[in-house]
Amino acid sequence: MLSFNSSNQTYSNLDDHELVRLFRRENDQNAFGELLNRHQNKIYSYIYSMVTNQEVANDIFQDTFTKVITKMDDTYNEQGKWIAWVMRIAHNATIDHIRKQKRFVDVNSKDDADYDFYDRIEDTDTPDAQDNMEFDEAKTSLMKHIDSLPKEQREVVMLRHYYEMSFKEIAELTNVSINTALGRMRYALINLRKMFDKENGKEYQYAERG
Amino acid sequence: MTRKTEKNTNMQNVDELCIKYVLNELDPSERLLVEKAMRDDENVLIEIESLRCTLRKLDQLPEVSPPEAISATILEKARQHAEAQKRVWPVRLAWGGLAAAAIVLLVFGAQFINYPESDLHQAGFATEITPMENAETISDQPVLQASNLNQMQVAPLAKTDPWIDKQNILRINISYGPNGEVILGTDAASTANAGMLRPVEQQQMNTSYPVMRDIQLTRTQR
């Protein structure tokens, strides 16, 4: 829970537009604090679910909000939702990171059926044991299954779940058609279903549509 | 389209409709179609229910909070940015104030440029246009000279409603002499064949016919 000196009750009653206006025009840092408090969990959860590494997620999250603070005057025009603008920055930062990492993938590892790309990203600093435990708790089997999805399917699932975006917005953000975005979501759900069933020891015979 | 291709296309369409139905991306008429298909085809019903079940499990996805240290760092950056903006804006306001003052001076100063008739006459300018008996070359007319300016007095601000007299349009007959000199004539005979206004670009130096110009006067009323 963030704490800053302000009448939190007052700020919590304001909507995002009003808080943004207060920060931009009156340099009210407490208004920004309220915005951060409101949306940080969803943004961080999305970033973390995509990179599944705490240190990397911290860096991307911090970079995202540094850009938000410095570029709000230039690139946010208060027409659309502020959170949608921030999500776009977070998404782009996450994808840029993933692309950079992919350039350094060991070619030989592609032959390994158990290869998990994200296992190869090692922390430079060993995290605190307490932090590890907390993140392990958070990292449920669901998250592990989502980890296993192809990046494009994971992206659609996370954008839909954490950002509550429509498929039109997801399609625009990921530069695909709406039908492609829907198709990726469908395959993601089918793959997740198979993983859950396998985990539960159930094997369903899905009737083939003749 | 072959039967197999048609079947595959239909299945693809059904798959699309199923996922759209589960995700509430269908319009009402399409929803009715899918609900009918669910009643008619058990496979469609199973597909939709299993997709729904998986989707519900996603609700269990945890929300992960960032470390407090990271949030504190971000808040500190916001504070520093707000402080820096507070220092920048007074400077901007100062420059803006100077610019505004300069504009006010220019506009205010322009109001004083309003010459009274008596001063113009004293300076040697004709204040009324009278038809000339004979056409005179332009070189014989009094012209604006630098010495005349000293005799002008700046009049106090007057009412500046523009006056346009559509009935008393000055017509000037512009013709050219044998040596290319410009000859102006305002007498009735010269202006008898007044024609339509011609664009300036059509003016020719050595025309055999006079070029007519219509000039409408405006003046400042006191």
Side-chain angles (χ1 to χ4, degrees):
Chain A
M1 176 76 173
L2 292 176
S3 59
F4 44 85
N5 292 329
S6 71
S7 52
N8 290 0
Q9 288 293 328
T10 309
Y11 285 101
S12 62
N13 292 338
L14 299 175
D15 65 19
D16 285 1
H17 269 117
E18 286 159 337
L19 290 169
V20 168
R21 221 166 276 139
L22 278 173
F23 180 64
R24 283 173 92 169
R25 295 181 192 178
E26 298 179 30
N27 298 314
D28 187 343
Q29 54 188 308
N30 292 327
F32 184 84
E34 174 62 24
L35 283 167
L36 184 65
N37 210 21
R38 234 177 244 188
H39 300 293
Q40 61 176 353
N41 286 355
K42 283 199 172 176
I43 295 168
Y44 188 83
S45 300
Y46 170 74
I47 296 170
Y48 181 74
S49 68
M50 291 297 290
V51 302
T52 60
N53 179 290
Q54 181 189 359
E55 290 298 315
V56 174
N58 292 347
D59 289 342
I60 295 174
F61 182 75
Q62 200 166 320
D63 286 345
T64 296
F65 274 95
T66 301
K67 280 184 190 161
V68 165
I69 291 164
T70 54
K71 292 187 182 299
M72 204 185 299
D73 289 335
D74 299 330
T75 55
Y76 176 60
N77 60 12
E78 294 190 31
Q79 294 293 322
K81 290 183 187 175
W82 180 79
I83 186 57
W85 176 71
V86 176
M87 285 172 186
R88 186 177 283 270
I89 296 174
H91 169 79
N92 290 340
T94 307
I95 296 302
D96 285 347
H97 170 82
I98 291 172
R99 281 191 190 135
K100 271 186 212 166
Q101 293 301 315
K102 276 191 177 176
R103 286 196 205 125
F104 298 103
V105 167
D106 186 354
V107 174
N108 293 330
S109 65
K110 285 183 182 173
D111 299 326
D112 184 358
D114 295 329
Y115 168 70
D116 181 357
F117 169 75
Y118 293 106
D119 285 345
R120 293 178 65 81
I121 302 174
E122 291 176 1
D123 293 337
T124 52
D125 298 319
T126 307
D128 186 63
Q130 180 66 23
D131 291 340
N132 267 339
M133 200 162 66
E134 285 169 4
F135 271 90
D136 283 343
E137 284 172 3
K139 211 171 176 183
T140 60
S141 61
L142 176 57
M143 287 286 282
K144 286 178 188 167
H145 293 323
I146 289 174
D147 276 354
S148 312
L149 291 173
K151 178 215 138 212
E152 292 79 15
Q153 293 176 18
R154 186 168 63 247
E155 192 178 49
V156 172
V157 170
M158 294 294 105
L159 286 171
R160 179 74 175 185
H161 176 77
Y162 285 118
Y163 290 173
E164 296 167 2
M165 282 184 166
S166 69
F167 277 88
K168 184 171 181 287
E169 289 168 329
I170 292 173
E172 281 169 4
L173 190 62
T174 55
N175 293 319
V176 297
S177 67
I178 296 177
N179 282 342
T180 301
L182 279 164
R184 287 176 179 176
M185 185 70 177
R186 179 172 172 269
Y187 283 118
L189 292 177
I190 290 170
N191 288 333
L192 285 171
R193 182 177 63 192
K194 286 181 185 170
M195 287 183 230
F196 292 139
D197 292 342
K198 206 172 175 182
E199 189 182 47
N200 295 334
K202 295 176 190 173
E203 301 247 345
Y204 287 106
Q205 297 290 332
Y206 294 103
E208 289 180 8
R209 278 182 246 115
Chain B
M1 193 185 281
T2 62
R3 268 199 168 179
K4 192 176 178 185
T5 313
E6 194 180 328
K7 198 164 119 180
N8 285 340
T9 306
N10 284 340
M11 280 175 63
Q12 200 176 350
N13 290 340
V14 172
D15 290 341
E16 266 181 37
L17 286 172
C18 286
I19 188 69
K20 283 181 178 178
Y21 179 82
V22 168
L23 297 168
N24 290 321
E25 293 279 327
L26 291 178
D27 59 40
S29 58
E30 287 171 322
R31 286 189 72 84
L32 287 172
L33 284 173
V34 172
E35 282 161 7
K36 184 177 182 301
M38 283 163 70
R39 288 190 296 270
D40 297 341
D41 187 343
E42 195 182 43
N43 293 328
V44 173
L45 179 65
I46 291 171
E47 174 71 7
I48 286 176
E49 280 306 314
S50 74
L51 285 173
R52 267 186 182 154
C53 183
T54 310
L55 204 57
R56 274 196 292 269
K57 287 188 178 172
L58 288 179
D59 292 340
Q60 297 168 21
L61 273 172
E63 249 187 24
V64 186
S65 298
E68 282 218 15
I70 301 291
S71 301
T73 305
I74 291 168
L75 283 175
E76 176 59 23
K77 280 190 181 160
R79 188 194 67 76
Q80 286 170 5
H81 180 80
E83 292 297 320
Q85 290 296 105
K86 282 178 188 167
R87 285 194 295 271
V88 164
W89 272 105
V91 173
R92 286 184 185 170
L93 282 173
W95 278 108
L98 279 173
I103 290 168
V104 166
L105 277 172
L106 277 170
V107 169
F108 193 65
Q111 297 296 324
F112 283 98
I113 303 177
N114 181 15
Y115 307 127
E117 252 188 357
S118 59
D119 295 328
L120 282 174
H121 185 70
Q122 196 173 358
F125 293 103
T127 54
E128 289 181 11
I129 303 296
T130 55
M132 292 183 286
E133 290 294 329
N134 299 306
E136 297 177 12
T137 57
I138 199 168
S139 57
D140 292 334
Q141 297 298 320
V143 297
L144 177 65
Q145 293 177 350
S147 58
N148 297 338
L149 292 173
N150 296 332
Q151 299 171 25
M152 291 193 313
Q153 293 176 5
V154 177
L157 287 175
K159 186 180 172 188
T160 55
D161 293 333
W163 166 75
I164 300 174
D165 183 355
K166 290 188 171 63
Q167 304 304 320
N168 188 17
I169 297 175
L170 171 67
R171 297 189 188 279
I172 300 176
N173 177 357
I174 301 175
S175 57
Y176 298 92
N179 298 323
E181 70 274 21
V182 177
I183 301 172
L184 294 176
T186 56
D187 57 294
S190 302
T191 59
N193 296 321
M196 299 292 288
L197 286 173
R198 297 183 190 188
V200 174
E201 290 77 16
Q202 289 187 2
Q203 183 175 358
Q204 297 175 21
M205 282 303 292
N206 294 312
T207 54
S208 59
Y209 53 85
V211 177
M212 297 304 301
R213 293 282 181 269
D214 287 338
I215 297 178
Q216 286 184 328
L217 298 181
T218 62
R219 62 185 277 180
T220 302
Q221 283 183 329
R222 290 184 169 275

